[in-house]
Amino acid sequence: MMIKFDVSNAGLQENILNYQDKVSTIHTSIHDKTCKGNDFLGWVNWPVDYDKQEFERIVKVANKVKDKAEVLLVCGIGGSYLGARAALEMIKGLYSNDKTEVIFVGNTFSSTYFMQVKEYIKNKSVVLNVISKSGTTTETALAFRMFKQFMEEKYSEEECVERIIVTTDKCRGTLKQLAVEKGYETFVIPDDIGGRYSVTTAVGLVPLAIAGVDIVKLMQGAKDAYNEFNTADLNTNVAYQYAVARRILENSGKTCEMFVSYELQLAMVAEWWKQLFGESEGKDGKGLLPCSATFSTDLHSLGQFVQDGNKILFETLLLVEKPQIDTLVPHDAENKDEMNYLAGKSLNWINQMAQLGTLEAHVKEGNVPNLILTIEDTSAYSFGYLTYFYFKACAMTCLMLDINPFNQPGVEVYKKNMFKLLGK
Amino acid sequence: MMIKFDVSNAGLQENILNYQDKVSTIHTSIHDKTCKGNDFLGWVNWPVDYDKQEFERIVKVANKVKDKAEVLLVCGIGGSYLGARAALEMIKGLYSNDKTEVIFVGNTFSSTYFMQVKEYIKNKSVVLNVISKSGTTTETALAFRMFKQFMEEKYSEEECVERIIVTTDKCRGTLKQLAVEKGYETFVIPDDIGGRYSVTTAVGLVPLAIAGVDIVKLMQGAKDAYNEFNTADLNTNVAYQYAVARRILENSGKTCEMFVSYELQLAMVAEWWKQLFGESEGKDGKGLLPCSATFSTDLHSLGQFVQDGNKILFETLLLVEKPQIDTLVPHDAENKDEMNYLAGKSLNWINQMAQLGTLEAHVKEGNVPNLILTIEDTSAYSFGYLTYFYFKACAMTCLMLDINPFNQPGVEVYKKNMFKLLGK
């Protein structure tokens, strides 16, 4: 099993297996497409059903533009932003001497951010991937209008066609129309997969492939997870175990779930997870508030609250068995810092001891329930596997609350008000 | 007034002014140093009492090493990390073509992060500033041991003395000893100022000055805030108004405060704020859970939860009147994206309309109380002013709960367990 799930530090007041009947019923309703939100179940079989020809084309196009991309601008918001960024940071880490720097735009109205990025890239070789289903999401459409103009001033028309890639609806929408007319390469956002479930579609795969991520392995991970979690059996399906454990903790009075990792490169996975769970579950006055921390960094910040503050939260750890790189603490003859007791130990072993010590501190002394997820590594394969695990867990846990996991009616309210103010 | 505070969207069920007596008593106890935690009140008069000679030395040393610092490594954790990073991002933004890139280390046990940074900087010109009161904070001490070795392999002994700067205790500790012996330049972490209140001491000022921030203006902001908030009068002291409003919202059943801004460059200010409030207030089973979001980015993520989910939270907006740079939406003859209705409008105006539309959506339709703080800009002056505002608000709001705002006993629990496991 690629993901381990441990509830032994959560003090669950109910047995997960008591929920087997409910879980079986919901599992069936997901797979026979009768559950709430059944128009948006395309993600369920996607790891086996995905368009193999399009996938090949993604690889081909990525290989073609890679060398032109000192900077890859990814223009999108929400699900068209968070998945690729989470994957990139998890798989590649936070610092590298890679040729391609990926910069995310179209996810804000900040004029400072826009102008600073524009100035920063002006003398660099740029490839632009815009991602929007309709083409009319305001943040993304405005940024694309402005960066397209930037590209057209910088490059010839032919060169722009080589450097602008559009991920959008198969047939409809303003962006699709534009792409056809200009001759841009286009990839498809499927009709039946919502933004937050879209990272293994072209939405995530195009930028990841251009940035040099092995998307074949990523899809293999998703496929293996699809097979692993294609069962209602709560004895074996850890995605459903996690889904049920969240509800049991909520029943015992918890209102917030804190996503905790011990690797800075997982901070954006936390942000992606917040969208997936917050946007799927935060409806009808219900849901667990998703928040996050990176330890041990934030043990010197939010740690105090977790340890001794208001007991409204539980933690869900995402641990990694094998770091990408490890190193040994060197010996120091002078030992002024008194750290020689750790000389010869690996840094990752010390990180693991911090995990164990914190677990005991938070659970036993702090009385904060801890769920623990453990993945093998931070590879592309693990990312594909992990995201499908979360999809399945999220759908189940929302449907247990009788909530549609796939819509986001609340997101429209601010837009409606904003459009009025903008005079649309 | 440099900071505006607006409670008109918070639906407060009590009048802030009802708390005048309590606030006056606490204000006196802060200023005559009789309140809880009175050993750590050095921050109160710091904007006028700070060591002017040391300040001049910071400016001088910064000017001397600036040109050597293609990369400035800042090695610290908690208050020795978050303040400088928050300031840097707020004041300089997220993308620039500045000569000096600042990288934060010593704030994690992640071996991948450590090794990636080391690889990333190996051919660059590096200056290292280590920040630790005792020198024995494990994350920081290990990273400093390893990066010091890196420096000693890369540079001569004399050159290391020019490139390593130590911020630590005035007299004691392993780091102080080492610095004296090696002849490193040292700056002081005052005895009576805790980590999370230390950004306007050498802790924050040294890295900021090297990175080119105008620390004279930053201190001027802190000083102006010191004068502004040096009164118990709830009619005029907006720091205390904010402190009281938090308690009133808590009394009405809210358990989480969400820090919301509309500028990506304020995301680290939110992290800094989380430490200040979470670590000060999260004690004795009490406190508001601090969490954060950046809008409109996260309106396509956590926005759904805020709008329609469990009503456990209130929002505190930090708005900025003047962005660093603004730009106009260009006209597009083809108008394929249907965005010409915004042509000629400034991007910041659109951002403001998003703020107004969201405020109405969350408050009126979502029934989520909103407190609104507005600052003029994201300058060094505003950063200094803002942080002092938060210090004063934080001390008051904690003391209203009869909590010591300046200790962090819960942070020791994980350390104790970890040291046992590490065999210390």
Side-chain angles (χ1 to χ4, degrees), chain B residues 31-49:
Chain B
H31 282 265
D32 70 8
K33 306 206 173 194
T34 57
C35 67
K36 278 194 175 177
N38 55 7
D39 283 353
F40 285 92
L41 286 167
W43 60 270
V44 176
N45 296 319
W46 183 255
V48 286
D49 278 359

PDB file of all heavy atoms in Angstrom, chain B residues 31-49:
ATOM      1  N   HIS B  31       2.084  49.785  30.703  1.00  0.00           N
ATOM      2  CA  HIS B  31       3.042  50.895  30.705  1.00  0.00           C
ATOM      3  C   HIS B  31       3.790  51.055  32.024  1.00  0.00           C
ATOM      4  O   HIS B  31       4.912  51.549  32.032  1.00  0.00           O
ATOM      5  CB  HIS B  31       2.363  52.196  30.256  1.00  0.00           C
ATOM      6  CG  HIS B  31       2.198  52.256  28.771  1.00  0.00           C
ATOM      7  ND1 HIS B  31       3.086  52.872  27.931  1.00  0.00           N
ATOM      8  CD2 HIS B  31       1.253  51.698  27.959  1.00  0.00           C
ATOM      9  CE1 HIS B  31       2.692  52.728  26.669  1.00  0.00           C
ATOM     10  NE2 HIS B  31       1.580  52.015  26.663  1.00  0.00           N
ATOM     11  N   ASP B  32       3.161  50.619  33.146  1.00  0.00           N
ATOM     12  CA  ASP B  32       3.935  50.662  34.389  1.00  0.00           C
ATOM     13  C   ASP B  32       4.568  49.295  34.695  1.00  0.00           C
ATOM     14  O   ASP B  32       5.088  49.072  35.797  1.00  0.00           O
ATOM     15  CB  ASP B  32       3.113  51.208  35.567  1.00  0.00           C
ATOM     16  CG  ASP B  32       2.028  50.248  36.027  1.00  0.00           C
ATOM     17  OD1 ASP B  32       1.993  49.091  35.556  1.00  0.00           O
ATOM     18  OD2 ASP B  32       1.213  50.660  36.863  1.00  0.00           O
ATOM     19  N   LYS B  33       4.479  48.399  33.712  1.00  0.00           N
ATOM     20  CA  LYS B  33       5.165  47.096  33.793  1.00  0.00           C
ATOM     21  C   LYS B  33       4.733  46.253  34.984  1.00  0.00           C
ATOM     22  O   LYS B  33       5.570  45.653  35.670  1.00  0.00           O
ATOM     23  CB  LYS B  33       6.697  47.287  33.803  1.00  0.00           C
ATOM     24  CG  LYS B  33       7.190  48.108  32.613  1.00  0.00           C
ATOM     25  CD  LYS B  33       8.617  47.791  32.250  1.00  0.00           C
ATOM     26  CE  LYS B  33       8.981  48.516  30.953  1.00  0.00           C
ATOM     27  NZ  LYS B  33      10.193  48.060  30.337  1.00  0.00           N
ATOM     28  N   THR B  34       3.431  46.202  35.208  1.00  0.00           N
ATOM     29  CA  THR B  34       2.916  45.337  36.270  1.00  0.00           C
ATOM     30  C   THR B  34       2.054  44.203  35.707  1.00  0.00           C
ATOM     31  O   THR B  34       1.552  43.378  36.448  1.00  0.00           O
ATOM     32  CB  THR B  34       2.052  46.139  37.274  1.00  0.00           C
ATOM     33  OG1 THR B  34       0.995  46.785  36.548  1.00  0.00           O
ATOM     34  CG2 THR B  34       2.890  47.178  38.011  1.00  0.00           C
ATOM     35  N   CYS B  35       1.877  44.172  34.393  1.00  0.00           N
ATOM     36  CA  CYS B  35       1.013  43.142  33.805  1.00  0.00           C
ATOM     37  C   CYS B  35       1.710  41.788  33.812  1.00  0.00           C
ATOM     38  O   CYS B  35       2.904  41.680  34.089  1.00  0.00           O
ATOM     39  CB  CYS B  35       0.628  43.528  32.376  1.00  0.00           C
ATOM     40  SG  CYS B  35       2.023  43.510  31.229  1.00  0.00           S
ATOM     41  N   LYS B  36       0.948  40.736  33.481  1.00  0.00           N
ATOM     42  CA  LYS B  36       1.537  39.410  33.309  1.00  0.00           C
ATOM     43  C   LYS B  36       2.632  39.453  32.251  1.00  0.00           C
ATOM     44  O   LYS B  36       2.472  40.096  31.211  1.00  0.00           O
ATOM     45  CB  LYS B  36       0.461  38.422  32.846  1.00  0.00           C
ATOM     46  CG  LYS B  36      -0.375  37.869  33.974  1.00  0.00           C
ATOM     47  CD  LYS B  36      -1.185  36.647  33.532  1.00  0.00           C
ATOM     48  CE  LYS B  36      -1.906  36.074  34.747  1.00  0.00           C
ATOM     49  NZ  LYS B  36      -2.763  34.933  34.397  1.00  0.00           N
ATOM     50  N   GLY B  37       3.707  38.732  32.504  1.00  0.00           N
ATOM     51  CA  GLY B  37       4.786  38.683  31.523  1.00  0.00           C
ATOM     52  C   GLY B  37       5.603  39.955  31.484  1.00  0.00           C
ATOM     53  O   GLY B  37       6.215  40.280  30.456  1.00  0.00           O
ATOM     54  N   ASN B  38       5.649  40.673  32.588  1.00  0.00           N
ATOM     55  CA  ASN B  38       6.269  42.018  32.568  1.00  0.00           C
ATOM     56  C   ASN B  38       7.795  42.002  32.394  1.00  0.00           C
ATOM     57  O   ASN B  38       8.413  43.046  32.275  1.00  0.00           O
ATOM     58  CB  ASN B  38       5.864  42.832  33.808  1.00  0.00           C
ATOM     59  CG  ASN B  38       6.187  42.089  35.097  1.00  0.00           C
ATOM     60  OD1 ASN B  38       6.827  41.023  35.048  1.00  0.00           O
ATOM     61  ND2 ASN B  38       5.758  42.616  36.227  1.00  0.00           N
ATOM     62  N   ASP B  39       8.389  40.812  32.344  1.00  0.00           N
ATOM     63  CA  ASP B  39       9.825  40.733  32.018  1.00  0.00           C
ATOM     64  C   ASP B  39      10.073  40.967  30.529  1.00  0.00           C
ATOM     65  O   ASP B  39      11.223  41.136  30.106  1.00  0.00           O
ATOM     66  CB  ASP B  39      10.372  39.331  32.344  1.00  0.00           C
ATOM     67  CG  ASP B  39      10.584  39.151  33.831  1.00  0.00           C
ATOM     68  OD1 ASP B  39      10.440  40.136  34.577  1.00  0.00           O
ATOM     69  OD2 ASP B  39      10.886  38.015  34.245  1.00  0.00           O
ATOM     70  N   PHE B  40       9.005  40.891  29.747  1.00  0.00           N
ATOM     71  CA  PHE B  40       9.176  40.964  28.290  1.00  0.00           C
ATOM     72  C   PHE B  40       8.427  42.148  27.682  1.00  0.00           C
ATOM     73  O   PHE B  40       7.747  42.012  26.674  1.00  0.00           O
ATOM     74  CB  PHE B  40       8.724  39.646  27.654  1.00  0.00           C
ATOM     75  CG  PHE B  40       9.732  38.546  27.867  1.00  0.00           C
ATOM     76  CD1 PHE B  40       9.651  37.698  28.961  1.00  0.00           C
ATOM     77  CD2 PHE B  40      10.798  38.396  26.988  1.00  0.00           C
ATOM     78  CE1 PHE B  40      10.596  36.703  29.160  1.00  0.00           C
ATOM     79  CE2 PHE B  40      11.747  37.401  27.180  1.00  0.00           C
ATOM     80  CZ  PHE B  40      11.651  36.552  28.278  1.00  0.00           C
ATOM     81  N   LEU B  41       8.589  43.289  28.303  1.00  0.00           N
ATOM     82  CA  LEU B  41       7.906  44.487  27.808  1.00  0.00           C
ATOM     83  C   LEU B  41       8.861  45.451  27.096  1.00  0.00           C
ATOM     84  O   LEU B  41       8.523  46.600  26.842  1.00  0.00           O
ATOM     85  CB  LEU B  41       7.191  45.197  28.964  1.00  0.00           C
ATOM     86  CG  LEU B  41       5.911  44.482  29.438  1.00  0.00           C
ATOM     87  CD1 LEU B  41       5.432  45.059  30.762  1.00  0.00           C
ATOM     88  CD2 LEU B  41       4.821  44.604  28.385  1.00  0.00           C
ATOM     89  N   GLY B  42      10.043  44.969  26.751  1.00  0.00           N
ATOM     90  CA  GLY B  42      11.016  45.827  26.081  1.00  0.00           C
ATOM     91  C   GLY B  42      10.523  46.423  24.778  1.00  0.00           C
ATOM     92  O   GLY B  42      10.960  47.506  24.368  1.00  0.00           O
ATOM     93  N   TRP B  43       9.583  45.735  24.134  1.00  0.00           N
ATOM     94  CA  TRP B  43       9.068  46.214  22.841  1.00  0.00           C
ATOM     95  C   TRP B  43       8.260  47.506  22.995  1.00  0.00           C
ATOM     96  O   TRP B  43       8.124  48.259  22.026  1.00  0.00           O
ATOM     97  CB  TRP B  43       8.212  45.131  22.174  1.00  0.00           C
ATOM     98  CG  TRP B  43       7.028  44.731  23.010  1.00  0.00           C
ATOM     99  CD1 TRP B  43       6.989  43.745  23.951  1.00  0.00           C
ATOM    100  CD2 TRP B  43       5.727  45.344  23.007  1.00  0.00           C
ATOM    101  NE1 TRP B  43       5.749  43.703  24.542  1.00  0.00           N
ATOM    102  CE2 TRP B  43       4.957  44.665  23.977  1.00  0.00           C
ATOM    103  CE3 TRP B  43       5.143  46.383  22.295  1.00  0.00           C
ATOM    104  CZ2 TRP B  43       3.631  45.006  24.240  1.00  0.00           C
ATOM    105  CZ3 TRP B  43       3.817  46.720  22.550  1.00  0.00           C
ATOM    106  CH2 TRP B  43       3.076  46.028  23.516  1.00  0.00           C
ATOM    107  N   VAL B  44       7.695  47.753  24.190  1.00  0.00           N
ATOM    108  CA  VAL B  44       6.737  48.862  24.338  1.00  0.00           C
ATOM    109  C   VAL B  44       7.381  50.198  23.974  1.00  0.00           C
ATOM    110  O   VAL B  44       6.851  50.948  23.154  1.00  0.00           O
ATOM    111  CB  VAL B  44       6.146  48.909  25.770  1.00  0.00           C
ATOM    112  CG1 VAL B  44       5.225  50.126  25.921  1.00  0.00           C
ATOM    113  CG2 VAL B  44       5.397  47.622  26.096  1.00  0.00           C
ATOM    114  N   ASN B  45       8.535  50.482  24.584  1.00  0.00           N
ATOM    115  CA  ASN B  45       9.201  51.764  24.314  1.00  0.00           C
ATOM    116  C   ASN B  45      10.326  51.653  23.275  1.00  0.00           C
ATOM    117  O   ASN B  45      11.045  52.621  23.023  1.00  0.00           O
ATOM    118  CB  ASN B  45       9.760  52.343  25.621  1.00  0.00           C
ATOM    119  CG  ASN B  45       8.653  52.671  26.601  1.00  0.00           C
ATOM    120  OD1 ASN B  45       7.609  53.196  26.223  1.00  0.00           O
ATOM    121  ND2 ASN B  45       8.862  52.320  27.870  1.00  0.00           N
ATOM    122  N   TRP B  46      10.500  50.486  22.708  1.00  0.00           N
ATOM    123  CA  TRP B  46      11.583  50.238  21.767  1.00  0.00           C
ATOM    124  C   TRP B  46      11.679  51.261  20.632  1.00  0.00           C
ATOM    125  O   TRP B  46      12.778  51.736  20.296  1.00  0.00           O
ATOM    126  CB  TRP B  46      11.467  48.813  21.201  1.00  0.00           C
ATOM    127  CG  TRP B  46      12.583  48.451  20.281  1.00  0.00           C
ATOM    128  CD1 TRP B  46      12.536  48.368  18.930  1.00  0.00           C
ATOM    129  CD2 TRP B  46      13.938  48.115  20.656  1.00  0.00           C
ATOM    130  NE1 TRP B  46      13.762  48.004  18.420  1.00  0.00           N
ATOM    131  CE2 TRP B  46      14.634  47.846  19.459  1.00  0.00           C
ATOM    132  CE3 TRP B  46      14.615  48.030  21.879  1.00  0.00           C
ATOM    133  CZ2 TRP B  46      15.983  47.486  19.448  1.00  0.00           C
ATOM    134  CZ3 TRP B  46      15.964  47.672  21.870  1.00  0.00           C
ATOM    135  CH2 TRP B  46      16.624  47.413  20.668  1.00  0.00           C
ATOM    136  N   PRO B  47      10.559  51.667  20.025  1.00  0.00           N
ATOM    137  CA  PRO B  47      10.664  52.614  18.895  1.00  0.00           C
ATOM    138  C   PRO B  47      11.316  53.949  19.277  1.00  0.00           C
ATOM    139  O   PRO B  47      11.764  54.670  18.388  1.00  0.00           O
ATOM    140  CB  PRO B  47       9.199  52.821  18.474  1.00  0.00           C
ATOM    141  CG  PRO B  47       8.511  51.574  18.910  1.00  0.00           C
ATOM    142  CD  PRO B  47       9.176  51.182  20.210  1.00  0.00           C
ATOM    143  N   VAL B  48      11.344  54.291  20.570  1.00  0.00           N
ATOM    144  CA  VAL B  48      12.089  55.483  20.984  1.00  0.00           C
ATOM    145  C   VAL B  48      13.377  55.131  21.740  1.00  0.00           C
ATOM    146  O   VAL B  48      14.352  55.871  21.711  1.00  0.00           O
ATOM    147  CB  VAL B  48      11.221  56.453  21.838  1.00  0.00           C
ATOM    148  CG1 VAL B  48      10.223  57.189  20.948  1.00  0.00           C
ATOM    149  CG2 VAL B  48      10.487  55.709  22.944  1.00  0.00           C
ATOM    150  N   ASP B  49      13.370  53.964  22.394  1.00  0.00           N
ATOM    151  CA  ASP B  49      14.498  53.587  23.259  1.00  0.00           C
ATOM    152  C   ASP B  49      15.601  52.792  22.572  1.00  0.00           C
ATOM    153  O   ASP B  49      16.620  52.487  23.186  1.00  0.00           O
ATOM    154  CB  ASP B  49      13.997  52.697  24.415  1.00  0.00           C
ATOM    155  CG  ASP B  49      13.405  53.517  25.535  1.00  0.00           C
ATOM    156  OD1 ASP B  49      13.415  54.760  25.414  1.00  0.00           O
ATOM    157  OD2 ASP B  49      12.932  52.908  26.513  1.00  0.00           O
TER     158      ASP B  49
END
